[in-house]
Amino acid sequence: GGDFFMALDEKHHLEGVLAAPGVFRVYLFDEYTKPLAKDALAQADAKVTWGQAENAPEVAMRPATDGLTLEAKAPAKVSFPTELTLRIRFPGATAGSRPELFTFPFKAWTHDPTTHKH
């Protein structure tokens, strides 16, 4: 239901969804689009910027309680259209490496795939 991307490393894929009332979730997959194991997902280093304003808030993404996704709660009420920018270092990336950038435009809440399997 969200936006799906392949990473530049050609080893990772990701899907981002914006679920009501304001939770951004990122699903990480391997090169075969199989979900990453919980321990690998926990190694991802990710932050999301909420909006495009110069002073837009940036929030660190954390593993969800089920360990299957990264998530961050909106720092304020979400209004549409909105655009979120994800900066992520995938599992296995060196600590000093530059994060990869993904932009997610949302016109409305997206279908949250937590209710089905990929």
Side-chain angles (χ1 to χ4, degrees):
D3 289 336
F4 192 81
F5 295 97
M6 182 173 197
L8 293 174
D9 68 5
E10 296 183 5
K11 294 179 185 175
H12 295 96
H13 294 80
L14 61 89
E15 181 178 7
V17 298
L18 184 57
V23 177
F24 180 57
R25 288 191 181 94
V26 174
Y27 297 79
L28 296 179
F29 306 94
D30 67 13
E31 62 268 25
Y32 304 105
T33 63
K34 302 285 185 211
L36 290 188
K38 291 178 184 182
D39 60 333
L41 184 127
Q43 295 173 22
D45 177 22
K47 295 179 182 176
V48 60
T49 303
W50 292 81
Q52 296 301 305
E54 187 173 316
N55 60 347
E58 185 176 77
V59 177
M61 301 207 61
R62 304 278 183 236
T65 55
D66 64 8
L68 301 176
T69 65
L70 297 175
E71 67 179 26
K73 293 182 182 177
K77 183 179 178 191
V78 176
S79 58
F80 296 102
T82 192
E83 192 169 289
L84 306 183
T85 303
L86 175 69
R87 288 174 180 76
I88 185 169
R89 283 185 198 89
F90 291 98
T94 58
S97 65
R98 175 179 270 164
E100 196 165 334
L101 183 129
F102 298 90
T103 302
F104 296 85
F106 293 104
K107 294 181 182 177
W109 303 117
T110 54
H111 171 71
D112 187 347
T114 57
T115 59
H116 71 273
K117 295 183 180 188
H118 284 86

